[in-house]
Amino acid sequence: IVKEKNRMGECPVWEERENALVYVDINSQKVCRWSSLTDEVQSVSVDARVGSVALRQCRGYVIALGTRFAFLDWDTQAITTILEVEQDKPNNRFNDGKVDPKGRFFAGTMAEETAPGVRARRQGALYTLFPDCSVIKQLDQVDISNGLDWSLDHRTFFHIDSLAYAVHAFSYDVHTGKIACPRLVYHLEKEEQMPDGMCIDAEGKLWVACIDGGRVIRIDPETGKRLQTVRLPASRITSCCFGGKDYSEMYVTSAYDGLDEAALAKEPHAGEIFKITGPGVKGIPQNFYAA
């Protein structure tokens, strides 16, 4: 649906009030918005790699870029820094993020590669930005903090640390926003490659984007079984979300960074955004950051 190619398309969010898909291109340092009504893509350039974007209750967006949380006013393109983390780790940046059921923004960090395939291990963390703009650290020694979501009963938090090749669940206290007691939900098969972004559907099942695996998979967090695989016409599948009319469609982002010329020639759709119709299940609306 979006032919404009992204170096590292990520973090798709359906914005019902705009009939639009909001997403980031991390490596191009852009926050983008595709209108389903006009088919136009608008973008705002930012001054650092931007890992994630989420909706704000009072319009505009909350973003995680570089190592700081910030607000983005779409109309004026103004960016207001809220808080910076990890100033002692110049090689780190924010990655995926999402808003919890109480309007708190969760986002995690990772170390950038110092050479292809080379990165310092366990440098990342997972943070929560509260509506009063205070921040706590939830997890430490994370490799690549990635896909995240909450169970429908709000008692469980799901999180991906990509280099663990697994989805983990934590007990989640909706009143305090704290997470605890990690357990393994699903370990990816070899052909599924590395887990990236993730979302939950209206039946409480998880959809995981498989970067370099060219697919999204649906897993049952209760049984740890894979239920469904949807293959896509690009290998570097980065994230997914439900959207569209009554959240019955799935939007999937991809990347072309990391592919050499030979691979790009075989993958003309690398970096584009796809829509899956008829996935057999609906999604649920995104939460708004409560400030």
Side-chain angles (χ1 to χ4, degrees):
I1 54 151
V2 180
K3 296 275 191 281
E4 199 172 292
K5 295 182 186 300
N6 296 285
R7 289 180 60 189
M8 185 62 67
E10 261 287 3
C11 198
V13 179
W14 182 255
E15 187 171 14
E16 199 174 313
R17 60 194 175 187
E18 297 285 343
N19 278 298
L21 186 75
V22 183
Y23 56 97
V24 299
D25 184 340
I26 296 175
N27 294 347
S28 293
Q29 301 183 187
K30 289 194 305 195
V31 181
C32 307
R33 190 163 83 187
W34 169 77
S35 167
S36 66
L37 304 177
T38 65
D39 200 30
E40 268 183 292
V41 176
Q42 296 173 300
S43 64
V44 173
S45 292
V46 294
D47 63 2
R49 286 181 169 165
V50 53
S52 42
V53 58
L55 311 178
R56 277 184 81 186
Q57 215 163 33
C58 61
R59 301 192 74 79
Y61 308 104
V62 59
I63 57 177
L65 76 164
T67 52
R68 66 194 199 269
F69 287 109
F71 292 134
L72 167 61
D73 182 315
W74 188 260
D75 298 327
T76 64
Q77 304 198 355
I79 290 164
T80 309
T81 295
I82 303 165
L83 188 108
E84 185 141 5
V85 300
E86 301 184 4
Q87 285 164 296
D88 58 331
K89 293 182 175 178
N91 204 41
N92 272 22
R93 69 160 170 86
F94 267 115
N95 199 38
D96 210 351
K98 196 168 277 183
V99 176
D100 83 349
K102 288 289 186 192
R104 312 171 187 108
F105 183 44
F106 281 54
T109 57
M110 60 179 277
E112 292 277 37
E113 290 184 344
T114 49
V118 179
R119 78 177 78 241
R121 298 292 301 266
R122 299 187 175 83
Q123 295 300 300
L126 177 70
Y127 297 90
T128 301
L129 173 69
F130 286 77
D132 66 359
C133 293
S134 63
V135 172
I136 63 165
K137 186 190 285 189
Q138 298 265 21
L139 290 175
D140 215 344
Q141 297 200 324
V142 177
D143 277 319
I144 300 177
S145 184
N146 227 324
L148 58 170
D149 219 326
W150 290 264
S151 62
L152 302 181
D153 66 5
H154 305 163
R155 290 181 178 177
T156 305
F157 169 68
F158 300 104
H159 180 251
I160 288 169
D161 182 350
S162 289
L163 294 189
Y165 290 83
V167 181
H168 284 90
F170 296 76
S171 61
Y172 170 70
D173 186 329
V174 74
H175 303 293
T176 63
K178 298 277 180 68
I179 65 172
C181 309
R183 61 181 171 83
L184 178 68
V185 168
Y186 182 81
H187 195 277
L188 275 77
E189 306 282 336
K190 193 175 178 190
E191 75 275 6
E192 291 166 351
Q193 298 284 344
M194 188 188 285
D196 201 330
M198 172 170 65
C199 68
I200 199 160
D201 65 30
E203 294 176 1
K205 308 298 190 278
L206 300 172
W207 292 78
V208 178
C210 300
I211 192 159
D212 297 324
R215 66 194 71 187
V216 290
I217 56 173
R218 184 182 191 225
I219 58 178
D220 185 336
E222 299 297 319
T223 63
K225 297 274 188 290
R226 181 181 68 224
L227 304 172
Q228 202 171 336
T229 299
V230 182
R231 287 183 170 78
L232 289 126
S235 60
R236 310 215 76 203
I237 297 301
T238 53
S239 194
C240 51
C241 77
F242 284 90
K245 188 177 168 1
D246 64 16
Y247 292 87
S248 60
E249 301 162 342
M250 178 176 275
Y251 292 87
V252 181
T253 51
S254 74
Y256 70 77
D257 272 10
L259 297 173
D260 61 21
E261 275 184 41
L264 284 168
K266 285 186 199 151
E267 287 189 36
H269 297 293
E272 295 177 9
I273 298 179
F274 309 101
K275 180 168 79 174
I276 298 170
T277 51
V281 67
K282 291 179 181 179
I284 56 173
Q286 305 279 340
N287 300 312
F288 290 86
Y289 177 68

